[in-house]
Protein backbone atom coordinates (compact mmCIF):
# COMPACT_ATOMS: atom_id res chain seq x y z
CA UNK A 1 0.00 0.00 0.00
CA UNK A 2 1.21 3.48 -0.81
CA UNK A 3 0.08 6.70 0.81
CA UNK A 4 1.13 9.92 -0.86
CA UNK A 5 -0.49 13.31 -0.86
CA UNK A 6 -1.49 16.36 1.11
CA UNK A 7 -3.66 15.45 4.08
CA UNK A 8 -2.92 18.42 6.31
CA UNK A 9 -5.78 20.53 5.01
CA UNK A 10 -3.52 23.16 3.46
CA UNK A 11 -5.81 23.73 0.54
CA UNK A 12 -8.92 22.52 -1.20
CA UNK A 13 -11.02 19.42 -0.83
CA UNK A 14 -9.22 16.42 0.61
CA UNK A 15 -9.66 13.25 -1.42
CA UNK A 16 -8.12 9.80 -1.73
CA UNK A 17 -7.65 7.34 -4.58
CA UNK A 18 -7.97 3.63 -3.78
CA UNK A 19 -6.51 1.90 -6.82
CA UNK A 20 -6.12 -1.72 -7.84
CA UNK A 21 -2.72 -1.70 -9.61
CA UNK A 22 -3.55 -4.94 -11.44
CA UNK A 23 -6.35 -3.13 -13.31
CA UNK A 24 -4.24 -0.14 -14.43
CA UNK A 25 -1.78 -0.32 -17.32
CA UNK A 26 -0.04 3.00 -16.57
CA UNK A 27 -0.17 3.73 -12.86
CA UNK A 28 2.18 6.73 -13.04
CA UNK A 29 0.17 8.24 -15.88
CA UNK A 30 -3.03 7.74 -13.91
CA UNK A 31 -1.53 9.43 -10.86
CA UNK A 32 -0.33 12.39 -12.90
CA UNK A 33 -3.67 12.88 -14.65
CA UNK A 34 -5.72 12.62 -11.48
CA UNK A 35 -3.43 14.89 -9.47
CA UNK A 36 -3.16 17.53 -12.21
CA UNK A 37 -6.90 17.59 -12.80
CA UNK A 38 -7.90 17.79 -9.14
CA UNK A 39 -5.32 20.44 -8.19
CA UNK A 40 -6.35 22.51 -11.24
CA UNK A 41 -9.88 22.40 -9.83
CA UNK A 42 -8.64 23.75 -6.49
CA UNK A 43 -8.57 20.42 -4.63
CA UNK A 44 -5.70 19.30 -2.44
CA UNK A 45 -3.31 16.72 -3.87
CA UNK A 46 -5.04 13.39 -3.32
CA UNK A 47 -3.91 10.62 -1.03
CA UNK A 48 -3.00 7.36 -2.79
CA UNK A 49 -3.66 3.83 -1.58
CA UNK A 50 -2.97 0.65 -3.52
CA UNK A 51 -5.06 -2.45 -2.92
CA UNK A 52 -3.55 -5.86 -2.26
CA UNK A 53 -4.72 -9.45 -2.66
CA UNK A 54 -5.19 -9.60 1.11
CA UNK A 55 -7.10 -6.29 1.26
CA UNK A 56 -8.91 -5.37 -1.97
CA UNK A 57 -9.89 -1.90 -0.76
CA UNK A 58 -11.86 -1.80 2.48
CA UNK A 59 -8.89 -1.22 4.79
CA UNK A 60 -7.41 1.41 2.50
CA UNK A 61 -10.74 3.25 2.39
CA UNK A 62 -10.97 3.17 6.19
CA UNK A 63 -7.48 4.74 6.34
CA UNK A 64 -8.56 7.41 3.88
CA UNK A 65 -11.58 8.24 6.04
CA UNK A 66 -9.38 8.54 9.12
CA UNK A 67 -7.03 10.84 7.19
CA UNK A 68 -9.92 13.24 6.54
CA UNK A 69 -10.86 12.41 2.95
CA UNK A 70 -14.16 13.94 1.85
CA UNK A 71 -14.25 11.93 -1.40
CA UNK A 72 -12.81 8.48 -2.08
CA UNK A 73 -12.12 7.57 -5.71
CA UNK A 74 -12.45 3.82 -6.33
CA UNK A 75 -10.21 2.95 -9.27
CA UNK A 76 -10.45 -0.68 -10.35
CA UNK A 77 -13.04 -3.28 -11.17
CA UNK A 78 -16.25 -4.25 -9.42
CA UNK A 79 -14.34 -5.84 -6.52
CA UNK A 80 -12.48 -2.61 -5.75
CA UNK A 81 -15.68 -0.56 -5.84
CA UNK A 82 -17.51 -3.07 -3.64
CA UNK A 83 -14.70 -3.04 -1.06
CA UNK A 84 -14.74 0.75 -0.90
CA UNK A 85 -18.52 0.76 -0.52
CA UNK A 86 -18.30 -1.57 2.47
CA UNK A 87 -16.13 0.99 4.28
CA UNK A 88 -18.14 4.06 3.25
CA UNK A 89 -21.67 2.95 4.16
CA UNK A 90 -22.96 5.03 7.06
CA UNK A 91 -20.32 7.76 6.71
CA UNK A 92 -20.49 11.27 5.23
CA UNK A 93 -17.62 10.52 2.82
CA UNK A 94 -18.66 10.33 -0.84
CA UNK A 95 -17.70 7.60 -3.31
CA UNK A 96 -16.52 8.54 -6.81
CA UNK A 97 -15.90 5.83 -9.42
CA UNK A 98 -12.91 5.82 -11.77
CA UNK A 99 -13.60 2.61 -13.68
CA UNK A 100 -10.62 0.66 -14.97
CA UNK A 101 -11.91 -2.92 -15.00
CA UNK A 102 -14.17 -4.47 -17.61
CA UNK A 103 -17.47 -5.11 -15.82
CA UNK A 104 -17.93 -2.08 -13.60
CA UNK A 105 -21.62 -2.43 -12.79
CA UNK A 106 -21.83 0.77 -10.76
CA UNK A 107 -19.95 2.69 -13.45
CA UNK A 108 -22.41 1.38 -16.05
CA UNK A 109 -25.28 2.72 -13.96
CA UNK A 110 -23.53 6.09 -13.80
CA UNK A 111 -22.98 6.16 -17.57
CA UNK A 112 -19.21 6.42 -17.03
CA UNK A 113 -18.00 3.56 -19.25
CA UNK A 114 -14.21 3.52 -18.66
CA UNK A 115 -13.68 7.23 -19.17
CA UNK A 116 -11.28 8.71 -16.60
CA UNK A 117 -12.04 12.33 -17.47
CA UNK A 118 -15.77 11.87 -16.92
CA UNK A 119 -15.23 10.18 -13.56
CA UNK A 120 -13.07 13.06 -12.38
CA UNK A 121 -15.46 15.72 -13.69
CA UNK A 122 -18.42 14.09 -11.95
CA UNK A 123 -16.60 14.48 -8.63
CA UNK A 124 -15.35 18.00 -9.35
CA UNK A 125 -18.83 19.27 -10.20
CA UNK A 126 -19.98 17.96 -6.81
CA UNK A 127 -23.17 16.27 -7.90
CA UNK A 128 -24.10 14.08 -4.93
CA UNK A 129 -26.91 11.65 -4.16
CA UNK A 130 -27.49 9.64 -1.05
CA UNK A 131 -28.22 6.08 -2.17
CA UNK A 132 -29.78 3.03 -0.63
CA UNK A 133 -27.57 -0.04 -0.37
CA UNK A 134 -28.41 -3.71 -0.19
CA UNK A 135 -27.27 -5.64 2.87
CA UNK A 136 -26.51 -9.33 2.34
CA UNK A 137 -25.82 -10.56 5.86
CA UNK A 138 -23.40 -7.72 6.57
CA UNK A 139 -21.98 -7.37 3.06
CA UNK A 140 -23.15 -4.22 1.30
CA UNK A 141 -23.78 -3.70 -2.41
CA UNK A 142 -24.96 -0.80 -4.56
CA UNK A 143 -26.21 -2.50 -7.73
CA UNK A 144 -27.42 -6.08 -7.28
CA UNK A 145 -27.04 -9.47 -5.70
CA UNK A 146 -27.76 -12.55 -7.74
CA UNK A 147 -28.19 -16.30 -7.59
CA UNK A 148 -28.02 -18.71 -10.51
CA UNK A 149 -27.37 -17.87 -14.17
CA UNK A 150 -25.82 -14.42 -13.62
CA UNK A 151 -23.19 -15.85 -11.28
CA UNK A 152 -22.58 -18.78 -13.66
CA UNK A 153 -22.01 -16.28 -16.46
CA UNK A 154 -19.44 -14.38 -14.38
CA UNK A 155 -17.63 -17.59 -13.48
CA UNK A 156 -17.52 -18.70 -17.14
CA UNK A 157 -16.23 -15.38 -18.48
CA UNK A 158 -12.55 -15.50 -19.37
CA UNK A 159 -10.41 -12.71 -17.87
CA UNK A 160 -8.17 -12.51 -20.94
CA UNK A 161 -11.19 -12.15 -23.21
CA UNK A 162 -12.62 -9.42 -20.92
CA UNK A 163 -9.39 -7.44 -21.19
CA UNK A 164 -9.38 -7.82 -24.98
CA UNK A 165 -13.00 -7.06 -25.91
CA UNK A 166 -14.59 -5.69 -22.73
CA UNK A 167 -18.17 -6.38 -21.61
CA UNK A 168 -19.16 -8.47 -24.70
CA UNK A 169 -17.01 -11.21 -23.15
CA UNK A 170 -19.90 -11.76 -20.73
CA UNK A 171 -22.09 -12.77 -23.68
CA UNK A 172 -19.64 -15.55 -24.48
CA UNK A 173 -19.70 -16.67 -20.85
CA UNK A 174 -23.49 -16.58 -20.81
CA UNK A 175 -23.77 -18.76 -23.90
CA UNK A 176 -22.08 -21.61 -22.05
CA UNK A 177 -24.93 -21.85 -19.54
CA UNK A 178 -28.09 -21.11 -21.52
CA UNK A 179 -29.16 -24.76 -21.44
CA UNK A 180 -28.39 -25.47 -17.76
CA UNK A 181 -31.19 -26.81 -15.58
CA UNK A 182 -33.25 -24.30 -13.59
CA UNK A 183 -33.23 -23.80 -9.83
CA UNK A 184 -36.21 -24.50 -7.62
CA UNK A 185 -36.50 -21.40 -5.43
CA UNK A 186 -38.80 -19.94 -2.82
CA UNK A 187 -38.89 -16.14 -2.70
CA UNK A 188 -40.37 -14.26 0.24
CA UNK A 189 -40.82 -10.48 0.11
CA UNK A 190 -41.34 -8.78 3.48
CA UNK A 191 -44.35 -10.42 5.16
CA UNK A 192 -46.02 -11.53 1.93
CA UNK A 193 -46.73 -15.20 1.15
CA UNK A 194 -43.75 -16.95 -0.50
CA UNK A 195 -43.52 -17.25 -4.28
CA UNK A 196 -42.18 -20.54 -5.70
CA UNK A 197 -40.64 -20.79 -9.15
CA UNK A 198 -38.36 -22.86 -11.36
CA UNK A 199 -35.96 -20.06 -12.20
CA UNK A 200 -32.70 -19.68 -14.06
CA UNK A 201 -31.68 -16.57 -12.14
CA UNK A 202 -32.92 -14.35 -9.33
CA UNK A 203 -31.57 -10.81 -9.11
CA UNK A 204 -32.10 -8.47 -6.16
CA UNK A 205 -31.37 -4.97 -7.41
CA UNK A 206 -31.00 -1.44 -6.10
CA UNK A 207 -30.55 0.02 -9.60
CA UNK A 208 -31.44 -1.42 -12.96
CA UNK A 209 -28.46 -1.72 -15.34
CA UNK A 210 -26.43 -4.85 -16.13
CA UNK A 211 -23.04 -5.24 -17.82
CA UNK A 212 -22.80 -3.10 -20.93
CA UNK A 213 -25.34 -0.64 -19.57
CA UNK A 214 -28.36 -2.82 -20.45
CA UNK A 215 -31.30 -1.65 -18.33
CA UNK A 216 -33.10 -4.72 -16.97
CA UNK A 217 -35.30 -3.18 -14.26
CA UNK A 218 -36.70 0.05 -15.65
CA UNK A 219 -38.53 1.05 -12.46
CA UNK A 220 -35.67 0.43 -10.02
CA UNK A 221 -34.79 3.63 -8.17
CA UNK A 222 -31.60 4.00 -6.13
CA UNK A 223 -33.12 5.89 -3.21
CA UNK A 224 -36.74 4.73 -2.84
CA UNK A 225 -36.09 2.52 0.20
CA UNK A 226 -36.98 -0.61 -1.79
CA UNK A 227 -35.22 -3.47 -3.54
CA UNK A 228 -36.40 -4.68 -6.97
CA UNK A 229 -36.36 -8.40 -7.73
CA UNK A 230 -36.16 -10.00 -11.18
CA UNK A 231 -36.97 -13.70 -11.43
CA UNK A 232 -35.89 -15.03 -14.83
CA UNK A 233 -37.70 -18.20 -15.94
CA UNK A 234 -36.70 -19.10 -19.55
CA UNK A 235 -36.81 -22.83 -20.34
CA UNK A 236 -35.08 -22.91 -23.72
CA UNK A 237 -33.07 -20.86 -26.19
CA UNK A 238 -36.17 -19.32 -27.76
CA UNK A 239 -37.30 -18.08 -24.36
CA UNK A 240 -33.86 -16.52 -23.76
CA UNK A 241 -34.02 -14.75 -27.11
CA UNK A 242 -37.51 -13.40 -26.41
CA UNK A 243 -36.45 -12.19 -22.99
CA UNK A 244 -33.25 -10.58 -24.27
CA UNK A 245 -35.02 -8.86 -27.18
CA UNK A 246 -37.67 -7.38 -24.88
CA UNK A 247 -35.00 -6.05 -22.50
CA UNK A 248 -32.92 -4.53 -25.30
CA UNK A 249 -36.02 -2.95 -26.85
CA UNK A 250 -37.14 -1.69 -23.43
CA UNK A 251 -40.54 -3.30 -23.68
CA UNK A 252 -42.89 -2.57 -20.81
CA UNK A 253 -43.56 -6.28 -20.35
CA UNK A 254 -40.64 -8.73 -20.50
CA UNK A 255 -41.62 -12.37 -21.13
CA UNK A 256 -40.29 -15.01 -18.75
CA UNK A 257 -39.45 -12.39 -16.11
CA UNK A 258 -41.37 -11.86 -12.88
CA UNK A 259 -40.70 -8.63 -10.98
CA UNK A 260 -41.22 -8.10 -7.26
CA UNK A 261 -40.40 -5.30 -4.82
CA UNK A 262 -39.86 -4.95 -1.09
CA UNK A 263 -37.60 -3.97 1.79
CA UNK A 264 -36.49 -7.48 2.66
CA UNK A 265 -35.98 -10.35 0.24
CA UNK A 266 -35.36 -13.94 1.30
CA UNK A 267 -34.50 -16.50 -1.37
CA UNK A 268 -34.07 -20.20 -0.65
CA UNK A 269 -32.96 -22.83 -3.17
CA UNK A 270 -33.03 -26.61 -2.85
CA UNK A 271 -29.28 -26.91 -3.31
CA UNK A 272 -26.17 -24.74 -3.28
CA UNK A 273 -26.18 -22.28 -6.18
CA UNK A 274 -23.56 -19.84 -7.51
CA UNK A 275 -24.00 -16.31 -6.14
CA UNK A 276 -22.63 -12.85 -6.87
CA UNK A 277 -22.56 -9.33 -5.46
CA UNK A 278 -22.18 -6.33 -7.79
CA UNK A 279 -20.50 -8.43 -10.46
CA UNK A 280 -18.12 -10.23 -8.08
CA UNK A 281 -18.51 -13.92 -7.26
CA UNK A 282 -19.09 -14.89 -3.63
CA UNK A 283 -19.37 -18.31 -2.02
CA UNK A 284 -22.15 -20.53 -3.42
CA UNK A 285 -25.08 -21.06 -1.09
CA UNK A 286 -28.70 -22.15 -0.75
CA UNK A 287 -29.95 -18.75 0.44
CA UNK A 288 -29.79 -15.10 -0.53
CA UNK A 289 -31.17 -12.96 2.29
CA UNK A 290 -31.08 -9.26 1.51
CA UNK A 291 -32.48 -6.16 3.19
CA UNK A 292 -32.29 -2.52 2.19
CA UNK A 293 -30.39 0.14 4.12
CA UNK A 294 -32.04 3.39 3.01
CA UNK A 295 -29.88 6.38 2.04
CA UNK A 296 -26.69 4.92 3.49
CA UNK A 297 -24.10 5.95 0.89
CA UNK A 298 -23.11 9.28 -0.64
CA UNK A 299 -22.27 8.83 -4.33
CA UNK A 300 -20.84 11.29 -6.84
CA UNK A 301 -23.22 11.33 -9.81
CA UNK A 302 -23.38 13.28 -13.12
CA UNK A 303 -26.15 15.40 -11.61
CA UNK A 304 -27.98 15.19 -8.29
CA UNK A 305 -31.35 15.08 -10.05
CA UNK A 306 -34.14 12.97 -8.59
CA UNK A 307 -34.23 10.52 -11.47
CA UNK A 308 -34.19 6.72 -11.37
CA UNK A 309 -31.38 6.81 -13.93
CA UNK A 310 -28.10 7.78 -12.26
CA UNK A 311 -26.46 8.42 -15.64
CA UNK A 312 -28.56 11.55 -16.22
CA UNK A 313 -26.43 14.16 -18.06
CA UNK A 314 -23.41 11.82 -18.27
CA UNK A 315 -22.71 12.70 -21.92
CA UNK A 316 -22.55 16.43 -21.19
CA UNK A 317 -20.30 15.81 -18.18
CA UNK A 318 -18.00 13.70 -20.38
CA UNK A 319 -17.52 16.60 -22.79
CA UNK A 320 -16.74 19.01 -19.97
CA UNK A 321 -14.40 16.46 -18.40
CA UNK A 322 -12.30 15.98 -21.53
CA UNK A 323 -11.92 19.73 -21.90
CA UNK A 324 -10.97 20.19 -18.25
CA UNK A 325 -8.37 17.39 -18.26
CA UNK A 326 -6.73 18.75 -21.43
CA UNK A 327 -6.61 22.24 -19.91
CA UNK A 328 -5.07 20.87 -16.69
CA UNK A 329 -2.37 19.05 -18.67
CA UNK A 330 -1.48 22.19 -20.62
CA UNK A 331 -1.13 24.18 -17.42
Amino acid sequence: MENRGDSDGTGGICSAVVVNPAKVTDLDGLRDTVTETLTAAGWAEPLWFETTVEDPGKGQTEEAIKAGAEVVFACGGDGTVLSCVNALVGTDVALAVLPSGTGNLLAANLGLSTDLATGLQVAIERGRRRLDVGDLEGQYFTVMAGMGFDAQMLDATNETTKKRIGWPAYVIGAAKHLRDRPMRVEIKIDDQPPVRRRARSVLVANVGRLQGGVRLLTEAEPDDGLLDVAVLTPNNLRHWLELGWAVLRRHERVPRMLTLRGKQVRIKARRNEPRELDGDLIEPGRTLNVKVRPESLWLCVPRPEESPDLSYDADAVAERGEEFVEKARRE
Side-chain angles (χ1 to χ4, degrees):
M1 183 192 309
E2 185 177 0
N3 180 348
R4 286 173 43 181
D6 177 10
S7 61
D8 60 4
T10 55
I13 296 170
C14 181
S15 65
V17 180
V18 177
V19 58
N20 180 352
K23 297 288 187 178
V24 179
T25 55
D26 182 4
L27 194 57
D28 289 336
L30 172 73
R31 179 182 289 121
D32 290 344
T33 299
V34 172
T35 301
E36 289 169 2
T37 304
L38 292 181
T39 54
W43 291 36
E45 184 176 339
L47 300 163
W48 284 87
F49 299 91
E50 292 186 13
T51 68
T52 64
V53 174
E54 296 76 20
D55 189 342
K58 183 179 180 183
Q60 295 87 340
T61 305
E62 289 171 344
E63 288 192 40
I65 294 169
K66 291 177 183 176
E70 299 170 61
V71 176
V72 171
F73 292 91
C75 185
D78 287 320
T80 306
V81 174
L82 190 62
S83 296
C84 292
V85 166
N86 274 269
L88 291 171
V89 167
T91 74
D92 289 326
V93 181
L95 172 70
V97 181
L98 299 180
S100 59
T102 50
N104 284 291
L105 274 174
L106 184 56
N109 279 276
L110 289 168
L112 298 185
S113 182
T114 56
D115 185 59
L116 175 63
T118 308
L120 290 168
Q121 191 68 19
V122 165
I124 289 169
E125 293 187 358
R126 306 202 69 178
R128 304 285 189 269
R129 281 183 71 171
R130 191 181 282 277
L131 265 62
D132 304 336
V133 298
D135 181 346
L136 174 62
E137 299 171 359
Q139 297 183 75
Y140 302 121
F141 64 92
T142 57
V143 181
M144 62 183 64
M147 173 185 280
F149 173 77
D150 54 309
Q152 291 172 322
M153 174 191 69
L154 292 170
D155 190 38
T157 301
N158 183 274
E159 287 294 327
T160 302
T161 306
K162 281 202 300 183
K163 290 179 181 178
R164 189 172 69 250
I165 66 174
W167 71 264
Y170 291 102
V171 177
I172 300 172
K176 299 175 183 178
H177 290 282
L178 289 177
R179 299 181 184 274
D180 288 1
R181 63 177 179 172
M183 311 176 289
R184 290 184 180 273
V185 294
E186 178 183 280
I187 306 159
K188 187 169 175 58
I189 307 293
D190 299 331
D191 295 324
Q192 300 173 26
V195 174
R196 295 177 179 86
R197 288 290 189 277
R198 289 171 57 87
R200 292 301 316 281
S201 185
V202 183
L203 298 168
V204 183
N206 185 44
V207 291
R209 293 184 189 273
L210 304 175
Q211 281 88 356
V214 176
R215 193 164 176 82
L216 178 69
L217 289 158
T218 57
E219 295 184 4
E221 298 192 17
D223 50 9
D224 60 0
L226 297 170
L227 296 165
D228 287 70
V229 182
V231 186
L232 308 184
T233 61
N235 294 323
N236 52 48
L237 183 58
R238 180 174 62 84
H239 291 165
W240 276 116
L241 292 173
E242 290 172 350
L243 188 155
W245 178 254
V247 170
L248 291 173
R249 299 294 295 176
R250 299 186 180 183
H251 290 177
E252 184 176 340
R253 183 182 178 277
V254 177
R256 304 289 172 175
M257 185 173 85
L258 169 69
T259 57
L260 305 165
R261 179 176 288 175
K263 296 180 180 180
Q264 186 166 6
V265 181
R266 287 159 287 185
I267 303 164
K268 183 167 63 176
R270 289 192 175 184
R271 60 179 185 269
N272 277 356
E273 299 289 351
R275 306 184 302 167
E276 59 93 3
L277 276 185
D278 276 4
D280 241 29
L281 289 169
I282 60 174
E283 285 294 319
R286 291 183 58 195
T287 62
L288 200 68
N289 297 322
V290 183
K291 61 184 178 181
V292 69
R293 284 197 54 173
E295 299 187 355
S296 298
L297 176 72
W298 280 108
L299 180 67
C300 298
V301 298
R303 269 196 192 178
E305 300 286 343
E306 293 181 0
S307 166
D309 193 344
L310 293 174
S311 66
Y312 183 85
D313 202 39
D315 291 340
V317 175
E319 293 179 9
R320 295 193 293 270
E322 289 291 348
E323 294 174 0
F324 195 93
V325 168
E326 287 302 318
K327 181 180 178 181
R329 284 172 176 167
R330 288 196 299 270
E331 294 177 352

